[in-house]
Amino acid sequence: MLILKSHFKSRNGNLIIGELDVVELAKRFGTPLYVMDEQRIREKYRKFYAAFSSRWPSVLVCYALKANSNLAIAKILKSEGAGADVSSDNEMRIALQAGVPGTKMVFNGNHKSPSELKLAIENNVMINVDSFQELEAIEAITSKLKLRARISFRVNPDVQASTHPYIATGLRESKFGFDVASGQAFSAYRRALDMNNVEVVGMHANIGSQILEPEPFEEEARKLMALVVELKEKLNVFISVMDFGGGIGIPYKPEEKELDPNVVAERMVSVVKSVTEEKDLPKPTLMFEPGRYMVGDSGVLLTKVGYTKERPGIPTWIFIDAGMNALIRPALYGAYHHIEVANKLENKNDFEYNVGGPLCESGDFLGKNRKLAKVEQNDLVAVFDVGAYGLAMSNQHTAQSRPAVVLVNRNKAEIVRKRETFEDLTRLDQIPEWLK
Ligand code: LLP
């Protein structure tokens, strides 16, 4: 059965993104092609922001650039009012180029180099400190620069969320943050109070990614607010920014249900509200760092079928022009991405296929045992929900060029990232003297 999310349509059996036919897009821009739908991104941002801002007076949504750091995408979110969650100096530069002020940015990661910290401090970016040594490094850099740093601590609240182990980050054994249960997080705040150049403004946690149930977020809010109260009572520290991280998932499989941000907001805000009222604390700014939720389902990878191969006893292989080089999630996490024949949406999905990429590696497939319309050479195959962690995690295995990215805005389409060329791939290589 054909399953399309509500922001897609079918016309004459062809997939429509925005108002444009993908058959035309493939002709105009070639394949493999990432297609991003601008209006869908705006819709998702607005839904997320409204869910929280309708329930709490001060909310800042910082788009997590790691999901998709394309400059045009960053600009769309900036134009909606989003801040930015950045995890490297280059993401910081992209966000700055998109026009996001440093004061609306947060810098995350367990290994921030001195030069990255310097860039963050110079731009007044809030730094989510991840270790004691990083805290000392920040103090040293700020005293040298004669600047102050706005900091927050990433704490690890040990929340279980059902997701792939590689992307569950809130568990106690994960590499991130200061442990809450053992008092380590509390000690970090106490240490910062003795420092001259750091201003403690926040508390941060990120419990994982691709979470489709509200309970872990509520538990996160509870555990963090308990620490807020402890800090107030024992150290008289007031936390003015509560950064709850990202993690709201999207449905990838047809049977998965969306997690409505309103449901998450209702639960989290009621925890914050009841604790602040009961303890008579000022209302903090609530901050979030969604990545996947913002851009995941706005992206489609458009690929073309080169060959098909029948094999007795197994589904017929179809070989498309993009694989684990363009989209590594299936190979890396066993992730499911929905696949349809984009020029045969009205045909019945009666045939079973394995969908292979072009690379010399058996793990190079984007889907196995998929029911699709009958596939022929030159058909277009659409791989859905690739807007987050798609191109961002792509690579050039077997010297494949990374796909181009097209942005569709209703009836308009423009390239927002060019297809890599042979020159792009070899530009950085050099021949040493002795091989010349
Ligand atoms: N904030 C922090 C500190 C994070 O580590 C992450 C994601 C986010 C925000 C955004 O999370 P989101 O809202 O997108 O779930 N490559 C994996 C996902 C890794 C997520 C890492 N951290 C994937 O392809 O599923």
Side-chain angles (χ1 to χ4, degrees):
M1 192 181 56
L2 167 70
I3 314 232
L4 283 186
K5 288 187 177 167
S6 62
H7 56 294
F8 296 113
K9 283 181 276 305
S10 158
R11 197 191 298 143
N12 306 324
N14 292 354
L15 175 67
I16 306 295
I17 302 180
E19 296 165 17
L20 299 178
D21 188 322
V22 295
V23 174
E24 296 304 316
L25 290 175
K27 266 194 208 138
R28 203 169 135 198
F29 301 107
T31 61
L33 184 70
Y34 271 98
V35 186
M36 299 293 297
D37 179 350
E38 176 168 343
Q39 291 305 318
R40 179 62 176 173
I41 298 173
R42 293 187 182 279
E43 207 178 289
K44 294 298 288 282
Y45 175 84
R46 288 173 197 170
K47 185 164 181 185
F48 191 101
Y49 180 72
F52 289 92
S53 62
S54 61
R55 294 176 167 87
W56 193 254
S58 176
V59 172
L60 177 60
V61 177
C62 288
Y63 165 59
L65 264 86
K66 64 174 77 63
N68 187 325
S69 57
N70 178 269
L71 187 54
I73 304 298
K75 275 208 153 191
I76 295 169
L77 286 150
K78 188 268 164 187
S79 77
E80 289 291 328
D85 155 25
V86 297
S87 336
S88 67
D89 49 357
N90 288 338
E91 282 188 1
M92 209 180 309
R93 291 185 184 106
I94 293 168
L96 287 167
Q97 262 187 45
V100 181
T103 48
K104 283 176 83 173
M105 267 186 225
V106 54
F107 187 19
N108 274 308
N110 58 302
H111 182 283
K112 307 179 190 82
S113 71
S115 66
E116 289 181 312
L117 289 170
K118 183 164 174 274
L119 188 67
I121 293 163
E122 285 167 347
N123 284 286
N124 213 2
V125 172
M126 182 170 96
I127 302 170
N128 283 342
V129 180
D130 198 89
S131 64
F132 284 107
Q133 289 178 356
E134 184 190 336
L135 180 62
E136 301 300 329
I138 291 171
E139 174 70 354
I141 293 168
T142 46
S143 24
K144 211 151 110 203
L145 294 176
K146 303 212 163 28
L147 289 172
R148 275 171 79 76
R150 291 191 308 128
I151 68 154
S152 161
F153 285 105
R154 177 165 184 164
V155 304
N156 188 332
D158 196 21
V159 172
Q160 297 266 0
S162 54
T163 187
H164 192 284
Y166 282 15
I167 56 178
T169 52
L171 291 181
R172 208 165 165 198
E173 66 263 31
S174 107
K175 69 173 177 173
F176 296 107
F178 293 87
D179 186 49
V180 174
S182 66
Q184 203 184 43
F186 181 84
S187 313
Y189 280 94
R190 201 171 40 206
R191 172 73 189 103
L193 287 184
D194 296 333
M195 294 184 160
N196 296 322
N197 305 310
V198 300
E199 183 190 349
V200 177
V201 291
M203 185 181 293
H204 165 66
N206 186 69
I207 55 170
S209 193
Q210 184 51 17
I211 299 167
L212 284 173
E213 54 199 16
E215 292 80 10
F217 293 105
E218 183 177 344
E219 190 186 340
E220 177 193 16
R222 263 214 191 91
K223 289 190 163 161
L224 263 58
M225 288 311 290
L227 181 58
V228 166
V229 170
E230 193 186 351
L231 291 172
K232 177 73 189 137
E233 289 175 349
K234 296 192 183 151
L235 298 178
N236 201 27
V237 168
F238 165 59
I239 302 298
S240 59
V241 178
M242 293 300 295
D243 175 0
F244 290 113
I248 295 192
I250 58 168
Y252 284 96
K253 295 184 179 156
E255 67 271 19
E256 281 171 342
K257 291 257 170 319
E258 187 201 1
L259 173 56
D260 186 339
N262 281 292
V263 173
V264 180
E266 186 57 40
R267 291 185 177 227
M268 294 184 90
V269 170
S270 25
V271 171
V272 177
K273 198 161 178 256
S274 70
V275 175
T276 46
E277 278 171 6
E278 191 191 318
K279 300 288 174 183
D280 201 21
L281 297 171
K283 288 189 164 68
T285 293
L286 302 189
M287 203 164 125
F288 301 90
E289 304 169 345
R292 190 188 319 263
Y293 182 82
M294 292 292 146
V295 295
D297 68 9
S298 67
V300 173
L301 179 58
L302 211 54
T303 70
K304 194 181 256 181
V305 179
Y307 303 100
T308 69
K309 182 188 280 179
E310 287 179 23
R311 276 276 172 79
I314 60 160
T316 293
W317 275 100
I318 61 173
F319 301 137
I320 56 177
D321 55 11
M324 66 192 286
N325 56 313
L327 179 69
I328 202 171
R329 300 191 73 256
L332 187 59
Y333 309 121
Y336 177 96
H337 282 268
H338 196 65
I339 294 174
E340 293 284 350
V341 185
N343 57 321
K344 291 181 175 170
L345 293 182
E346 252 110 87
N347 297 17
K348 282 218 167 87
N349 285 4
D350 274 349
F351 299 84
E352 196 174 331
Y353 293 104
N354 289 337
V355 183
L359 273 57
C360 297
E361 185 160 333
S362 295
D364 180 36
F365 59 87
L366 295 186
K368 280 197 175 162
N369 303 96
R370 297 303 179 87
K371 289 272 191 184
L372 300 174
K374 181 154 185 59
V375 175
E376 289 154 301
Q377 278 189 298
N378 297 320
D379 276 340
L380 280 180
V381 163
V383 185
F384 288 90
D385 304 307
V386 298
Y389 309 108
L391 193 79
M393 293 171 73
S394 66
N395 58 79
Q396 299 143 318
H397 191 7
T398 70
Q400 298 277 344
S401 300
R402 270 186 272 238
V405 184
V406 151
L407 183 67
V408 168
N409 187 12
R410 298 199 167 99
N411 62 357
K412 290 188 291 209
E414 251 187 59
I415 291 275
V416 292
R417 184 185 160 90
K418 292 187 215 165
R419 187 177 303 286
E420 276 173 352
T421 61
F422 173 69
E423 285 69 33
D424 292 328
L425 284 168
T426 49
R427 200 160 43 90
L428 303 174
D429 291 359
Q430 299 195 96
I431 309 286
E433 268 318 306
W434 66 87
L435 287 182
K436 278 183 183 158

